[in-house]
Amino acid sequence: HPAPWILAEPKSFRPWRPMTDGEKLVDWQELDETPRGTADALAAEIGMIRKDIADAIAPRIRAELRRRDLDIDRMRAIEGVVRSKRKAIVAKVREALDDTYKLGQRTAREELTKAGIKLAEAPHTAAEFAQTLTAQAELVTDKILAPFISELLDAIEAAKTAGNEDVGAVLARTGALSDGPIKRAAAGRIWGALNMGRRLVATRAGVSTATYSALLDDATCPPCRDADGTEAKVDSRQYDAMTPPLRSSGFSDGCEGRDWCRCLWIYTEA
């Protein structure tokens, strides 16, 4: 896994360099542990949906394994049962992203208030942000379901070829809806939602400049350390390109943890 710390137990905040005044206003432990907990909870909730899927398709798989021929329409019917749960998964992912988005808003407001910046009432989620969160929830869901369906159909075909009628063995070969793949599929969107919420508060407060911070702990990767301390105008091309999760661009190399990048833009001046 590109970022093994995310699957480990949370540790106390261990900055790898002295904090700036702006960073001292940030609750770093909350901003590490809460998105991590959100990913854990999401995996558990989708795990319950996986159980529902398994219960629903088991009779169809059993019937299919007893047939000698491989019929495309019957296989599509099994796929259809799986896809019928897509809406439920989208709703769970959307809820997780919304929670993290609101966390981003709250923490940015707290930091700016501590910095002495007067804020208007808490901003409502703008329509474009709401649409983005929904679209991202759908992308995460498809990223989870597509490999699961592929694994499932391949497992059924392999079992039929081998003359194996064990439904449990077929389902055991489908790992795409287990905790690890779910967390990996959702991670970038969860941290992205956090930064979207922070960005909305900063722009509404009139903050013009942001500072990239990769302070979190000594597990910070070299590309993020190199980006650490970079200043950018809010809403500039550089700001957009470097908004975590850090991607490879003309402004920086990509985070080695990829979707698990936990860096932040720090906002302290309006």
Side-chain angles (χ1 to χ4, degrees):
H1 190 279
W5 56 81
I6 202 63
L7 299 179
E9 289 298 317
K11 298 179 179 179
S12 59
F13 175 44
R14 307 185 313 277
W16 53 272
R17 59 160 174 74
M19 287 190 287
T20 64
D21 290 342
E23 288 167 334
K24 291 176 183 177
L25 305 179
V26 179
D27 187 339
W28 288 97
Q29 193 145 352
E30 180 182 24
L31 289 175
D32 178 31
E33 293 180 2
T34 302
R36 183 201 302 265
T38 298
D40 289 341
L42 178 62
E45 290 176 340
I46 295 178
M48 295 300 295
I49 297 175
R50 173 193 164 93
K51 184 178 183 304
D52 292 341
I53 291 173
D55 291 343
I57 62 178
R60 291 177 179 267
I61 294 175
R62 186 173 295 107
E64 183 62 30
L65 295 180
R66 291 171 178 170
R67 296 173 179 267
R68 291 186 177 181
D69 64 315
L70 185 66
D71 183 80
I72 189 64
D73 290 332
R74 294 196 303 268
M75 297 288 270
R76 283 176 176 167
I78 293 173
E79 179 180 343
V81 173
V82 176
R83 291 193 181 279
S84 70
K85 301 296 184 180
R86 181 180 184 275
K87 186 175 181 179
I89 297 176
V90 169
K92 293 297 184 183
V93 178
R94 178 65 171 79
E95 181 180 353
L97 297 184
D98 193 55
D99 287 347
T100 315
Y101 177 81
K102 290 176 180 176
L103 170 68
Q105 288 185 320
R106 176 176 63 76
T107 55
R109 287 183 63 81
E110 290 172 353
E111 293 158 28
L112 290 172
T113 299
K114 291 176 185 176
I117 297 174
K118 293 184 178 180
L119 302 174
E121 63 180 86
H124 297 292
T125 301
E128 62 269 24
F129 283 107
Q131 292 170 0
T132 298
L133 290 175
T134 298
Q136 290 185 349
E138 292 176 343
L139 287 171
V140 170
T141 300
D142 291 337
K143 194 174 179 179
I144 294 168
L145 276 185
F148 175 78
I149 290 170
S150 178
E151 289 174 347
L152 177 64
L153 299 183
D154 287 347
I156 292 172
E157 184 174 356
K160 286 176 70 73
T161 300
N164 182 0
E165 296 184 7
D166 185 348
V167 175
V170 169
L171 292 173
R173 294 184 59 180
T174 57
L177 282 183
S178 57
D179 285 4
I182 291 170
K183 293 179 186 180
R184 285 192 288 273
R189 307 301 177 180
I190 288 174
W191 261 268
L194 174 74
N195 282 287
M196 283 173 58
R198 292 175 60 81
R199 176 180 189 160
L200 177 62
V201 170
T203 54
R204 294 285 175 85
V207 173
S208 60
T209 304
T211 304
Y212 193 93
S213 177
L215 180 68
L216 193 58
D217 60 31
D218 53 14
T220 301
C221 69
C224 288
R225 288 197 185 212
D226 289 343
D228 183 65
T230 299
E231 290 190 352
K233 293 294 183 182
V234 174
D235 291 337
S236 66
R237 286 182 60 240
Q238 181 180 16
Y239 176 92
D240 289 339
M242 293 182 65
T243 292
L246 186 66
R247 306 296 187 190
S248 180
S249 70
F251 299 101
S252 63
D253 293 328
C255 174
E256 291 180 359
R258 294 183 290 189
D259 286 343
W260 292 110
C261 178
R262 302 161 299 154
C263 298
L264 293 174
W265 284 116
I266 302 296
Y267 311 100
T268 55
E269 298 181 3

